[in-house]
Amino acid sequence: MYRIFYGDKTIFDPYGNENEVVSDASLSANLNASAYLDFKMAINHPLYRVIAEKSDIVKLLWDDNVLFEGQIESIDIDIKGTKSVSCVSALDYLNDTIVRPYSTIKGESDLTAPSSVDGYFQWLIDQHNKNVKDSNKLFYIGVNQGANLQQNNFIYRSSTNNPTTASEISSQIIDALGGYLSMRYEDGRHILDLDSDIHSMNAQIIDFGVNLTDFSKKIATNDQYTALIAKGGSPQFMNGGFESGDFSYWESHPDTAIVTDKAQEGSYSSYFIEGVAT
């Protein structure tokens, strides 16, 4: 069963206090980005006046497995007093530290970073762990396949702009070289994996009405037409007046259009039977 905690306090437990209820709970995640846990809390919830942004740790558990850990990023309150709570995952902790000026060339800056991709990634995480003040925001490297992202595993990197650790990993590794950054929770630790490619797949079969319980389909008619509207113009007989019945040009050029629409600047083919235009 799912349970949500705020520090050591319970936000949601299906077998707990009858007021420990949330609605519209959802967990969303994107590749190489932080995950988000969103839910709504009624005004009679025991923790209604306790929860606050960036205060305590929020956890989502399935039985004893941690599916999400992070902090409250924003709280919106509607006219009925219901709180819409948005939590961002622990991967966002990498935005809490900055990378001091560095270079992968020794002597070019006060800090020297490794010039190998895997070593550079490990160094960035080590710098984060060194500078972050909260021990709950430490990271540990699990899989590090950075060496596979560059043919000779050699890079030049430097910075004097004090970027966040998250932005430096994103711009200098993921965006520049590729790879996939993911985070998992293991024994109370945040484990970061840098994979060079996607090497696993979900073998779960999705069945409508079984484990696919919500579905919507939208049909739009923006590109459909139900009527044709004819637009008039002012025809003009080519090489002669239409009323004069001057068909000599058409008789000598039977494969060309003989009437033009002056309003639309286009041509329309006309044919004559016994001197009558059709």
Side-chain angles (χ1 to χ4, degrees), residues 55-81:
S55 179
D56 215 333
I57 301 298
V58 176
K59 289 185 179 182
L60 169 66
L61 277 68
W62 168 255
D63 291 338
D64 292 327
N65 299 314
V66 179
L67 302 181
F68 175 92
E69 179 183 318
Q71 290 184 317
I72 296 175
E73 184 179 54
S74 65
I75 300 176
D76 295 326
I77 305 176
D78 65 16
I79 195 170
K80 295 181 180 180

Tab-separated table of all heavy atoms in Angstrom, residues 55-81:
chain	number	residue	atom	x	y	z
A	55	SER	N	10.927	22.542	4.247
A	55	SER	CA	11.073	22.366	5.688
A	55	SER	C	11.533	20.961	6.031
A	55	SER	O	12.669	20.756	6.429
A	55	SER	CB	9.745	22.683	6.396
A	55	SER	OG	9.865	22.497	7.786
A	56	ASP	N	10.664	19.959	5.882
A	56	ASP	CA	11.013	18.600	6.249
A	56	ASP	C	10.991	17.708	5.013
A	56	ASP	O	10.549	18.118	3.931
A	56	ASP	CB	10.034	18.073	7.313
A	56	ASP	CG	10.725	17.149	8.311
A	56	ASP	OD1	11.734	16.524	7.927
A	56	ASP	OD2	10.267	17.061	9.464
A	57	ILE	N	11.440	16.467	5.191
A	57	ILE	CA	11.532	15.526	4.085
A	57	ILE	C	10.178	14.856	3.862
A	57	ILE	O	9.533	14.385	4.799
A	57	ILE	CB	12.604	14.452	4.366
A	57	ILE	CG1	13.960	15.109	4.584
A	57	ILE	CG2	12.670	13.458	3.208
A	57	ILE	CD1	14.479	15.876	3.401
A	58	VAL	N	9.747	14.808	2.593
A	58	VAL	CA	8.529	14.114	2.205
A	58	VAL	C	8.928	12.804	1.531
A	58	VAL	O	9.783	12.792	0.646
A	58	VAL	CB	7.674	14.960	1.244
A	58	VAL	CG1	6.441	14.176	0.781
A	58	VAL	CG2	7.252	16.263	1.913
A	59	LYS	N	8.287	11.706	1.967
A	59	LYS	CA	8.579	10.400	1.383
A	59	LYS	C	7.291	9.719	0.941
A	59	LYS	O	6.267	9.801	1.622
A	59	LYS	CB	9.302	9.492	2.378
A	59	LYS	CG	10.739	9.880	2.678
A	59	LYS	CD	11.407	8.846	3.584
A	59	LYS	CE	12.852	9.211	3.873
A	59	LYS	NZ	13.518	8.194	4.721
A	60	LEU	N	7.373	9.054	-0.210
A	60	LEU	CA	6.292	8.204	-0.698
A	60	LEU	C	6.798	6.774	-0.692
A	60	LEU	O	7.820	6.467	-1.307
A	60	LEU	CB	5.868	8.622	-2.104
A	60	LEU	CG	4.920	7.663	-2.838
A	60	LEU	CD1	3.567	7.602	-2.135
A	60	LEU	CD2	4.748	8.076	-4.301
A	61	LEU	N	6.087	5.899	0.008
A	61	LEU	CA	6.487	4.504	0.122
A	61	LEU	C	5.428	3.581	-0.463
A	61	LEU	O	4.225	3.851	-0.344
A	61	LEU	CB	6.723	4.107	1.582
A	61	LEU	CG	8.077	4.432	2.224
A	61	LEU	CD1	8.267	5.928	2.385
A	61	LEU	CD2	8.225	3.730	3.560
A	62	TRP	N	5.881	2.537	-1.113
A	62	TRP	CA	5.018	1.422	-1.494
A	62	TRP	C	5.462	0.248	-0.644
A	62	TRP	O	6.526	-0.290	-0.828
A	62	TRP	CB	5.146	1.107	-2.981
A	62	TRP	CG	4.501	-0.190	-3.375
A	62	TRP	CD1	5.113	-1.371	-3.667
A	62	TRP	CD2	3.088	-0.428	-3.516
A	62	TRP	NE1	4.207	-2.330	-3.979
A	62	TRP	CE2	2.937	-1.779	-3.894
A	62	TRP	CE3	1.959	0.356	-3.349
A	62	TRP	CZ2	1.692	-2.359	-4.116
A	62	TRP	CZ3	0.717	-0.218	-3.566
A	62	TRP	CH2	0.591	-1.556	-3.945
A	63	ASP	N	4.667	-0.119	0.367
A	63	ASP	CA	5.091	-1.036	1.425
A	63	ASP	C	6.339	-0.437	2.079
A	63	ASP	O	6.270	0.633	2.635
A	63	ASP	CB	5.313	-2.438	0.884
A	63	ASP	CG	3.995	-3.088	0.460
A	63	ASP	OD1	2.935	-2.659	0.959
A	63	ASP	OD2	4.028	-4.011	-0.367
A	64	ASP	N	7.489	-1.090	1.961
A	64	ASP	CA	8.715	-0.550	2.560
A	64	ASP	C	9.674	0.005	1.511
A	64	ASP	O	10.824	0.345	1.825
A	64	ASP	CB	9.421	-1.632	3.380
A	64	ASP	CG	8.626	-2.037	4.622
A	64	ASP	OD1	7.944	-1.159	5.182
A	64	ASP	OD2	8.672	-3.225	4.993
A	65	ASN	N	9.234	0.092	0.266
A	65	ASN	CA	10.090	0.588	-0.809
A	65	ASN	C	9.869	2.082	-1.005
A	65	ASN	O	8.727	2.533	-1.182
A	65	ASN	CB	9.783	-0.145	-2.115
A	65	ASN	CG	10.026	-1.641	-2.008
A	65	ASN	OD1	11.052	-2.063	-1.497
A	65	ASN	ND2	9.074	-2.431	-2.486
A	66	VAL	N	10.954	2.847	-0.976
A	66	VAL	CA	10.875	4.292	-1.170
A	66	VAL	C	10.767	4.596	-2.665
A	66	VAL	O	11.670	4.301	-3.439
A	66	VAL	CB	12.105	5.008	-0.577
A	66	VAL	CG1	12.010	6.514	-0.813
A	66	VAL	CG2	12.225	4.720	0.915
A	67	LEU	N	9.643	5.178	-3.064
A	67	LEU	CA	9.434	5.560	-4.455
A	67	LEU	C	9.805	7.014	-4.712
A	67	LEU	O	10.138	7.385	-5.833
A	67	LEU	CB	7.971	5.341	-4.856
A	67	LEU	CG	7.410	3.929	-4.710
A	67	LEU	CD1	5.954	3.903	-5.184
A	67	LEU	CD2	8.238	2.926	-5.479
A	68	PHE	N	9.742	7.820	-3.664
A	68	PHE	CA	10.012	9.249	-3.814
A	68	PHE	C	10.491	9.800	-2.487
A	68	PHE	O	10.006	9.436	-1.423
A	68	PHE	CB	8.745	9.988	-4.237
A	68	PHE	CG	8.888	11.489	-4.308
A	68	PHE	CD1	9.252	12.113	-5.486
A	68	PHE	CD2	8.672	12.281	-3.185
A	68	PHE	CE1	9.392	13.501	-5.552
A	68	PHE	CE2	8.807	13.660	-3.239
A	68	PHE	CZ	9.169	14.268	-4.424
A	69	GLU	N	11.462	10.701	-2.589
A	69	GLU	CA	11.915	11.461	-1.425
A	69	GLU	C	12.298	12.854	-1.896
A	69	GLU	O	12.969	13.021	-2.914
A	69	GLU	CB	13.112	10.803	-0.749
A	69	GLU	CG	13.634	11.587	0.452
A	69	GLU	CD	14.864	10.970	1.082
A	69	GLU	OE1	14.906	9.729	1.220
A	69	GLU	OE2	15.806	11.723	1.404
A	70	GLY	N	11.840	13.849	-1.160
A	70	GLY	CA	12.157	15.220	-1.549
A	70	GLY	C	11.582	16.216	-0.569
A	70	GLY	O	11.321	15.889	0.592
A	71	GLN	N	11.397	17.428	-1.046
A	71	GLN	CA	10.875	18.499	-0.209
A	71	GLN	C	9.728	19.217	-0.908
A	71	GLN	O	9.609	19.174	-2.135
A	71	GLN	CB	11.980	19.504	0.131
A	71	GLN	CG	13.030	18.973	1.084
A	71	GLN	CD	14.045	20.035	1.463
A	71	GLN	OE1	14.505	20.797	0.617
A	71	GLN	NE2	14.397	20.099	2.731
A	72	ILE	N	8.904	19.886	-0.112
A	72	ILE	CA	7.797	20.661	-0.660
A	72	ILE	C	8.362	21.894	-1.369
A	72	ILE	O	9.105	22.673	-0.780
A	72	ILE	CB	6.812	21.080	0.442
A	72	ILE	CG1	6.167	19.845	1.073
A	72	ILE	CG2	5.734	21.994	-0.117
A	72	ILE	CD1	5.260	20.163	2.254
A	73	GLU	N	7.987	22.058	-2.626
A	73	GLU	CA	8.461	23.190	-3.414
A	73	GLU	C	7.471	24.343	-3.385
A	73	GLU	O	7.853	25.508	-3.347
A	73	GLU	CB	8.717	22.752	-4.849
A	73	GLU	CG	9.298	23.845	-5.735
A	73	GLU	CD	9.559	23.363	-7.139
A	73	GLU	OE1	8.635	22.824	-7.776
A	73	GLU	OE2	10.707	23.518	-7.602
A	74	SER	N	6.177	24.029	-3.423
A	74	SER	CA	5.165	25.086	-3.431
A	74	SER	C	3.870	24.581	-2.818
A	74	SER	O	3.573	23.378	-2.854
A	74	SER	CB	4.908	25.583	-4.853
A	74	SER	OG	4.340	24.561	-5.644
A	75	ILE	N	3.088	25.517	-2.255
A	75	ILE	CA	1.771	25.222	-1.693
A	75	ILE	C	0.804	26.296	-2.181
A	75	ILE	O	1.032	27.487	-1.967
A	75	ILE	CB	1.790	25.200	-0.148
A	75	ILE	CG1	2.763	24.127	0.367
A	75	ILE	CG2	0.394	24.952	0.402
A	75	ILE	CD1	2.899	24.118	1.885
A	76	ASP	N	-0.255	25.869	-2.835
A	76	ASP	CA	-1.310	26.781	-3.283
A	76	ASP	C	-2.585	26.478	-2.506
A	76	ASP	O	-2.918	25.310	-2.271
A	76	ASP	CB	-1.577	26.624	-4.785
A	76	ASP	CG	-0.384	27.047	-5.620
A	76	ASP	OD1	0.314	27.988	-5.191
A	76	ASP	OD2	-0.161	26.447	-6.678
A	77	ILE	N	-3.312	27.517	-2.106
A	77	ILE	CA	-4.538	27.361	-1.336
A	77	ILE	C	-5.702	27.938	-2.138
A	77	ILE	O	-5.641	29.088	-2.583
A	77	ILE	CB	-4.436	28.068	0.030
A	77	ILE	CG1	-3.201	27.573	0.800
A	77	ILE	CG2	-5.694	27.837	0.852
A	77	ILE	CD1	-2.977	28.294	2.117
A	78	ASP	N	-6.768	27.126	-2.325
A	78	ASP	CA	-7.920	27.611	-3.081
A	78	ASP	C	-8.934	28.266	-2.144
A	78	ASP	O	-8.717	28.379	-0.926
A	78	ASP	CB	-8.559	26.489	-3.903
A	78	ASP	CG	-9.166	25.391	-3.045
A	78	ASP	OD1	-9.381	25.609	-1.829
A	78	ASP	OD2	-9.442	24.303	-3.591
A	79	ILE	N	-10.069	28.683	-2.695
A	79	ILE	CA	-11.051	29.438	-1.931
A	79	ILE	C	-11.694	28.603	-0.815
A	79	ILE	O	-12.196	29.146	0.166
A	79	ILE	CB	-12.128	30.004	-2.889
A	79	ILE	CG1	-12.954	31.078	-2.194
A	79	ILE	CG2	-13.008	28.873	-3.420
A	79	ILE	CD1	-13.862	31.836	-3.132
A	80	LYS	N	-11.654	27.267	-0.958
A	80	LYS	CA	-12.211	26.392	0.080
A	80	LYS	C	-11.175	26.042	1.159
A	80	LYS	O	-11.487	25.333	2.107
A	80	LYS	CB	-12.740	25.107	-0.557
A	80	LYS	CG	-13.913	25.323	-1.496
A	80	LYS	CD	-14.388	23.997	-2.068
A	80	LYS	CE	-15.564	24.198	-3.003
A	80	LYS	NZ	-16.046	22.918	-3.589
A	81	GLY	N	-9.957	26.509	0.996
A	81	GLY	CA	-8.909	26.226	1.958
A	81	GLY	C	-8.096	24.994	1.632
A	81	GLY	O	-7.133	24.676	2.343
